[in-house]
Amino acid sequence: LGHGKERLYRPWRYSCSQGEVGAFFRDHQLSDLIGFTYSQWGAGRAVTDLCGRLNAIKSRLGGVGRVVPIILDGENAWDQYAHNGDEFFDALYGLLSEESLLKTVTPSEFLRLHPNANSNTIPKLHAGSWIHANFETWIGEPAQNRAWELLKMTRAALTNADFGRAAEQVVYHEA
């Protein structure tokens, strides 16, 4: 991907025989601050620090066609926060709603708003995770393998379900 952290702050494109996909890479430091550090701070201090870092990145690189992906395991961080992160999220989204220089977007929204931003192509993509660059955290143990089997069965059942007919069978009770 080249040199410099600034290359993280733009979308990438990967093409293969199945089609093309947009790719985003996380800022390890920002993600880890949220995942492991900010839970030990007061919500206001943590949010002020995070937004300060985001504004510093924006002022250094400019904003058009730039994105700062913050990517976490969805469940891991919030157990360490007071009230499961509610105070942090209230402070964060409160500040962001007043902040004119920062905007939250999903990856698909960003690509829709900036269709020419992902002109950078990834020639080869390695399958794996950010934990040991493989999948060993999620596979191999009997309980993990069984969970994947159940997930596959659930997906197949939902894919094949006739939701229209199922909705007709729902009984509504008025209080």
Side-chain angles (χ1 to χ4, degrees):
L1 297 180
H3 303 290
K5 200 173 183 181
E6 70 277 355
R7 295 179 61 90
L8 292 176
Y9 306 131
R10 63 179 67 177
W12 291 81
R13 187 177 65 237
Y14 178 71
S15 297
C16 64
S17 61
Q18 290 83 18
E20 187 173 279
V21 65
F24 295 82
F25 295 91
R26 76 185 190 127
D27 181 312
H28 186 95
Q29 182 183 21
L30 289 178
S31 299
D32 280 0
L33 281 167
I34 294 171
F36 304 108
T37 303
Y38 288 156
S39 62
Q40 308 306 310
W41 298 13
R45 177 180 170 218
V47 166
T48 299
D49 185 77
L50 176 62
C51 288
R53 290 170 187 269
L54 293 171
N55 278 315
I57 292 167
K58 183 170 182 146
S59 67
R60 192 172 65 246
L61 301 176
V64 177
R66 297 299 190 147
V67 61
V68 180
I70 297 176
I71 303 169
L72 308 166
D73 286 342
E75 77 286 0
N76 289 347
W78 313 116
D79 289 344
Q80 305 304 314
Y81 279 76
H83 307 287
N84 294 317
D86 288 348
E87 293 170 0
F88 176 81
F89 283 121
D90 286 345
L92 177 61
Y93 288 109
L95 187 76
L96 289 174
S97 68
E98 298 169 5
E99 174 69 59
S100 62
L101 297 176
L102 300 175
K103 179 180 179 185
T104 59
V105 293
T106 63
S108 58
E109 285 176 302
F110 183 85
L111 292 174
R112 203 169 36 255
L113 292 168
H114 304 281
N116 298 321
N118 70 332
S119 60
N120 304 293
T121 302
I122 300 169
K124 185 177 180 182
L125 192 58
H126 170 74
S129 78
W130 59 58
I131 303 171
H132 309 298
N134 60 36
F135 298 114
E136 72 182 18
T137 297
W138 298 283
I139 60 174
E141 298 294 324
Q144 293 169 324
N145 292 343
R146 179 66 179 144
W148 284 112
E149 290 170 11
L150 292 171
L151 184 60
K152 180 181 176 184
M153 291 168 48
T154 301
R155 184 184 187 284
L158 290 172
T159 299
N160 296 325
D162 183 350
F163 289 108
R165 200 179 104 202
E168 291 171 6
Q169 295 176 3
V170 173
V171 177
Y172 295 96
H173 298 281
E174 293 186 24

